[in-house]
Amino acid sequence: MSRSRSRRVRPNVLVTGTPGTGKTTMSSLLADAAAMRHFNIGDLVRQKGLHDGWDDHLHCHVINEDMVCDELEDSMEEGGNIVDYHGCDFFPERWFDLVVVLQTDNSVLHDRLTSRGYMGAKLTNNIECEIFQVLLEEARESYASEIVMPLHSNNVEDISRNVATLTEWINNWRPPVQSN
Ligand code: DAT
């Protein structure tokens, strides 16, 4: 597989996982700890109107993936970004040096989503998404398996450990040697 890499000197990290697994909480702490830029794609879509309207059934914006990718391209070329989103298959593969998939036990996730106000089909769909490891599979289908890193996110100790592990990974990262 040929992956053209840019000349970035800091890595780009994608943090994905089912809603409620802790992507935004962990990404925000990681961005502070490792001096990286944090893009919460949901917020970006709302703030910049990168969508095709509102989905009444799913109660969320219909994200316009091309507009999101155009918006991020220059920053991703520079490097030093953490991208946080509950999907991962539409970003260019060349953007990311590491793809983190956060995973949470069903009962814990159920409580988090309920307290966020999720119910009915929205709650069930997200719990099933986690049970069937949909995001892990999507990540492994979309990126080289050696850059996909599943991490548990059940409690605050997990957050601290994940932030420490990823900060060390980011600080030790070196650009791949380019052949010709
Ligand atoms: P996401 O961005 O994946 O939707 P979030 O960061 O908004 O998730 O977190 C959802 C809620 O769960 C929020 O109240 C913070 C809490 N939380 C996240 N990760 C956690 C963890 N590892 N331990 C305990 N609580 C966590």
Side-chain angles (χ1 to χ4, degrees):
M1 190 185 342
S2 113
R3 285 195 304 279
S4 72
R5 300 277 183 192
S6 74
R7 287 180 296 277
R8 56 182 178 262
V9 293
R10 299 213 76 203
N12 291 323
V13 177
L14 175 59
V15 177
T16 190
T18 306
T21 50
K23 298 180 296 296
T24 300
T25 306
M26 205 278 297
S27 299
S28 160
L29 292 166
L30 179 60
D32 286 347
M36 300 273 280
R37 214 183 283 132
H38 173 200
F39 287 104
N40 175 326
I41 298 300
D43 286 351
L44 190 76
V45 164
R46 277 186 294 278
Q47 285 158 8
K48 304 236 171 191
L50 310 176
H51 57 79
D52 298 321
W54 182 256
D55 184 324
D56 277 332
H57 182 61
L58 295 175
H59 306 286
C60 61
H61 284 111
V62 181
I63 182 173
N64 183 314
E65 297 172 352
D66 291 340
M67 286 167 83
V68 170
C69 289
D70 286 350
E71 177 70 28
L72 291 175
E73 180 68 53
D74 289 350
S75 300
M76 299 306 288
E77 177 73 15
E78 254 173 48
N81 303 291
I82 299 166
V83 173
D84 138 25
Y85 192 56
H86 59 262
C88 64
D89 60 353
F90 67 89
F91 300 114
E93 186 187 356
R94 66 187 156 78
W95 276 2
F96 295 107
D97 304 290
L98 182 67
V99 177
V100 174
V101 183
L102 294 184
Q103 299 192 297
T104 301
D105 292 348
N106 304 324
S107 56
V108 177
L109 185 65
H110 186 279
D111 290 348
R112 281 189 207 157
L113 292 178
T114 307
S115 50
R116 200 187 250 189
Y118 283 26
M119 57 180 105
K122 190 165 181 173
L123 179 62
T124 314
N125 289 346
N126 281 299
I127 296 293
E128 285 183 1
C129 176
E130 189 62 4
I131 291 172
F132 294 114
Q133 302 200 323
V134 170
L135 264 305
L136 182 59
E137 195 170 317
E138 188 175 312
R140 287 185 171 147
E141 280 172 5
S142 307
Y143 300 91
S145 58
E146 62 268 24
I147 74 161
V148 176
M149 184 192 283
L151 291 173
H152 291 297
S153 177
N154 289 315
N155 49 47
V156 288
E157 289 77 22
D158 288 340
I159 301 179
S160 307
R161 194 186 51 250
N162 293 341
V163 169
T165 303
L166 294 170
T167 301
E168 193 182 359
W169 185 94
I170 288 167
N171 289 337
N172 287 332
W173 184 85
R174 295 291 174 270
V177 177
Q178 309 253 350
S179 51
N180 58 35

